[in-house]
Amino acid sequence: VESAKRHVKILEDLDFYDFLTDLNVSTLVVFTKSDKLNQSERAKINKIAKEKLNHFDHIFTSSLNKKNIDELRQIIANKVSG
């Protein structure tokens, strides 16, 4: 059941990404809690992101080990400032 719920959620997310693409909205997809992923899981998600989210930049972050937190802050600052 949980797997089916997640599958539906992913389809909803992809529909929303299509909507944002149609509107030409500048979007950054942030994958949080990357510390919980092993290398294989991260590679799989990265591959899917490149295939399905090709109109969007994406970044993996972790607040636990602070991975890419500063980079995310810089990306947001750059997008906000222009």
Side-chain angles (χ1 to χ4, degrees):
V1 175
E2 189 61 35
S3 178
K5 286 181 185 177
R6 184 64 197 140
H7 184 69
V8 169
K9 179 69 174 140
I10 290 170
L11 293 175
E12 290 172 358
D13 291 346
L14 292 174
D15 286 343
F16 188 66
Y17 301 142
D18 288 341
F19 173 74
L20 293 174
T21 299
D22 290 344
L23 294 176
N24 284 332
V25 174
S26 177
T27 304
L28 173 68
V29 177
V30 180
F31 294 101
T32 60
K33 300 185 180 184
S34 66
D35 54 277
K36 296 184 179 231
L37 301 173
N38 63 38
Q39 188 173 3
S40 174
E41 292 168 328
R42 183 182 166 126
K44 183 177 179 181
I45 292 170
N46 202 35
K47 180 181 177 196
I48 292 169
K50 287 180 180 178
E51 291 172 358
K52 301 289 184 185
L53 306 177
N54 57 355
H55 295 104
F56 302 109
D57 292 330
H58 67 278
I59 188 170
F60 288 85
T61 63
S62 170
S63 60
L64 180 68
N65 61 20
K66 307 298 183 216
K67 182 169 180 75
N68 289 331
I69 298 298
D70 288 337
E71 291 84 348
L72 177 59
R73 287 184 177 135
Q74 187 62 49
I75 292 168
I76 292 170
N78 290 344
K79 291 208 181 256
V80 170
S81 67

